[in-house]
Amino acid sequence: MSASALTAPPERAEERPRRKAPRKPKPPPGSKRLSPLKIIGGVVVWAFTAFNVFVLYWLLASSFKTPVEIFTQPFQLPRQWFVAGEPFRNFVYAWNQAGLGGAFVNTVLLVGASAIVTVAISAPAAYALTRLGVRGSNAMTGVIAIGMGVPFQTVIIPLFVNMSKIGLANNLFGMFLIYVALSLPFTVFLLTGFFRSLPDEMEEAAAIDGASPSRTFFSIMLPLAKGGLITSLLINMISLWNETLLAIVFLQENANFTLSRALFTFYGAASYQSEYGGLIAGVAIVVLPMLVLYILLARRIITGLTLGAGK
């Protein structure tokens, strides 16, 4: 080797061949340009959202208006009750005349107890169907799914006859039993998705340590499924809070009325007296608690539903 080769300076960095940047992945079809279907879908979604926001605005604004303002100025902001110094007059009227105070307490207790008991029964049932290898668990899960598709309107008459025979027709405890029974199929079906998504390693480690199935369920699997339990609880609370038909059929005494049942009775009296502002305020009292709850916990509900369905 020559001396000139030994003393040659090292190759400069700028003279070295540069590596090509990795090729960017191709975008999915239809992501670069707006397809007609995407445009139509976006328009429909935003139109539906705008309509619901408009209805909510009209409900809140009308609940502070006089009957004359409701019909002559339906889309303007309320004024007369604020000028008279009684902005909440309609809410006070609805609360006192419709008996919404007692109905509110009944609804909170009934819905809360029904939702909690439903989740408490559905969680071990879903765990047994998905994790314990029960024979025929797939068939039983299918039967539960079929129960979700049976409209409860079809069983109201025989249910009312049988509940009347045992003295539970005009009774909050009877409504509690009906709410729990009708909510179980959906809740069990929802929780099976969560328990299927849980890792097997934690359960196997507990079995190696000698933990019983019940100990494993309460100490390990139940905390892991906390998101699904909370989601199921919230969905049941929202659906039962807004339930009206069963309350109309099974409750006849004012002392046992729920909010929706009391509002249904108040509708006749308010319409006869032309107290449309008070009637709309009563609707707002029924709707707003669950609306606020959903707005505050919407992310948790959507995340929980997506987790259960995605895994």
Side-chain angles (χ1 to χ4, degrees):
M1 183 179 296
S2 62
S4 60
L6 294 175
T7 59
E11 186 180 5
R12 295 182 180 180
E14 59 268 19
E15 296 178 357
R16 296 174 185 172
R18 296 182 179 181
R19 292 183 179 181
K20 294 183 178 180
R23 183 175 60 87
K24 295 182 180 180
K26 294 183 179 180
S31 61
K32 286 187 175 180
R33 59 179 182 177
L34 293 176
S35 62
L37 185 61
K38 185 181 294 185
I39 295 175
I40 295 174
V43 170
V44 171
V45 169
W46 282 108
F48 181 75
T49 303
F51 174 76
N52 282 276
V53 172
F54 172 76
V55 171
L56 179 61
Y57 161 76
W58 179 87
L59 175 69
L60 294 177
S62 299
S63 62
F64 292 95
K65 292 181 179 180
T66 63
V68 176
E69 284 182 298
I70 293 174
F71 289 101
T72 59
Q73 303 173 357
F75 307 127
Q76 297 183 11
L77 293 175
R79 182 176 181 275
Q80 293 188 22
W81 287 128
F82 286 86
V83 173
E86 297 178 323
F88 297 99
R89 183 265 178 194
N90 291 333
F91 289 90
V92 174
Y93 177 85
W95 188 269
N96 295 331
Q97 298 299 320
L100 296 183
F104 186 87
V105 175
N106 291 341
T107 305
V108 170
L109 295 178
L110 179 61
V111 170
S114 301
I116 292 173
V117 172
T118 298
V119 174
I121 297 174
S122 301
Y127 177 74
L129 291 173
T130 55
R131 313 294 294 198
L132 297 183
V134 179
R135 180 177 298 179
S137 59
N138 292 332
M140 286 187 285
T141 305
V143 172
I144 293 174
I146 293 174
M148 294 169 51
V150 178
F152 70 89
Q153 293 88 347
T154 60
V155 299
I156 282 184
I157 294 178
L159 188 60
F160 178 79
V161 172
N162 291 310
M163 296 291 284
S164 299
K165 290 181 180 179
I166 59 178
L168 294 177
N170 185 27
N171 191 289
L172 288 177
F173 181 71
M175 289 296 299
F176 164 78
L177 296 178
I178 295 173
Y179 281 172
V180 172
L182 294 178
S183 302
L184 280 176
F186 169 77
T187 309
V188 173
F189 185 78
L190 178 64
L191 290 178
T192 52
F194 284 96
F195 282 109
R196 283 198 185 100
S197 68
L198 298 179
D200 298 331
E201 291 77 8
M202 301 292 292
E203 199 171 9
E204 293 172 356
I208 293 175
D209 291 339
S212 63
S214 59
R215 176 70 179 276
T216 303
F217 171 70
F218 286 106
S219 300
I220 298 176
M221 307 306 289
L222 211 57
L224 291 177
K226 180 177 65 175
L229 299 177
I230 295 176
T231 300
S232 303
L233 183 67
L234 293 175
I235 292 176
N236 279 299
M237 290 180 62
I238 293 173
S239 61
L240 294 178
W241 183 279
N242 297 322
E243 195 284 318
T244 305
L245 181 58
L246 291 173
I248 292 174
V249 173
F250 285 90
L251 300 177
Q252 289 82 38
E253 294 182 4
N254 294 342
N256 297 328
F257 280 178
T258 59
L259 277 174
S260 57
R261 181 67 175 90
L263 182 64
F264 181 80
T265 303
F266 179 58
Y267 170 77
S271 300
Y272 180 77
Q273 300 174 4
S274 298
E275 282 288 348
Y276 297 105
L279 179 61
I280 297 175
V283 175
I285 292 174
V286 176
V287 171
L288 288 180
M290 288 299 106
L291 179 62
V292 172
L293 179 65
Y294 182 80
I295 292 174
L296 294 177
L297 302 176
R299 183 179 298 273
R300 176 177 289 274
I301 295 174
I302 296 173
T303 303
L305 288 174
T306 306
L307 177 64
K311 294 186 180 180

